Amino acid sequence: MPKKIPLIQLYLLFAIYVLLFFGASYLTSLITTDDFPTMIIFTITVTIYWFIAIAMSGLHKRSANIKQVHLKTVISIIIIMVVSTIQQLMFINIPFDASFTFFGISLVLLLLLHSLFFKSKFIR
C-alpha cells in the first residue's frame, strides 16, 4: 500500500505538473512551426483536463504500485489526447503535428516525474 502523501508534497507535485505542461509546450514550439503564445490556450486546456483525470482516476490515492501509476498516467494522457483532438477540430487552430508532439513530450516527462516522485512512496 502507498504511504499517504503530505499536502505540501502534493501541492509541489501539482505545481510541477503545471510547469511540466508549459515546458512541454515550449519544447513543442521549438520543434514545430507553432509559436508559444498559440500553444498557451491549448496547454491551459490540457492542464485542466489533467487535474480532472487525476481526480477521477485516483492517481495519488488509490494506486497500489508504480505500475498502476504508470498505467493510469498513460491511459489518462491518451484519453486527454482524444478529447483534445476532437476539441482541436472544432475550436482551436493548432496543427496536429504540434499536438501529437506536445502529448509525446508530456507523456515522457510525466512518466519520468512519476518514476522519481513515487519511487519512495511505495513499500515493497
Side-chain angles (χ1 to χ4, degrees):
M1 286 302 285
K3 298 177 185 176
K4 187 174 179 179
I5 301 171
L7 283 179
I8 292 177
Q9 286 183 356
L10 195 60
Y11 292 146
L12 179 66
L13 182 65
F14 289 164
I16 292 173
Y17 285 148
V18 172
L19 292 175
L20 181 138
F21 283 120
F22 278 100
S25 179
Y26 181 72
L27 286 174
T28 301
S29 69
L30 291 177
I31 294 171
T32 62
T33 58
D34 275 355
D35 54 343
F36 184 65
T38 352
M39 293 289 294
I40 288 178
I41 295 172
F42 184 70
T43 305
I44 291 171
T45 306
V46 169
T47 305
I48 291 169
Y49 288 157
W50 176 251
F51 285 120
I52 292 171
I54 287 174
M56 290 178 68
S57 69
L59 183 70
H60 303 118
K61 293 183 180 180
R62 293 187 298 237
S63 298
N65 56 24
I66 195 73
K67 194 175 191 179
Q68 282 184 350
V69 170
H70 287 313
L71 183 65
K72 288 179 182 181
T73 302
V74 170
I75 290 171
S76 296
I77 283 291
I78 289 173
I79 291 172
I80 292 170
M81 186 171 65
V82 169
V83 169
S84 295
T85 303
I86 293 169
Q87 181 183 8
Q88 191 174 349
L89 285 172
M90 296 188 307
F91 302 114
I92 304 173
N93 190 15
I94 296 176
F96 286 108
D97 64 337
S99 67
F100 290 133
T101 305
F102 171 78
F103 283 114
I105 292 170
S106 296
L107 180 63
V108 169
L109 292 176
L110 280 171
L111 290 175
L112 287 171
L113 175 67
H114 286 160
S115 294
L116 293 174
F117 185 80
F118 289 109
K119 183 178 180 181
S120 64
K121 301 298 175 205
F122 295 104
I123 300 170
R124 297 193 184 267

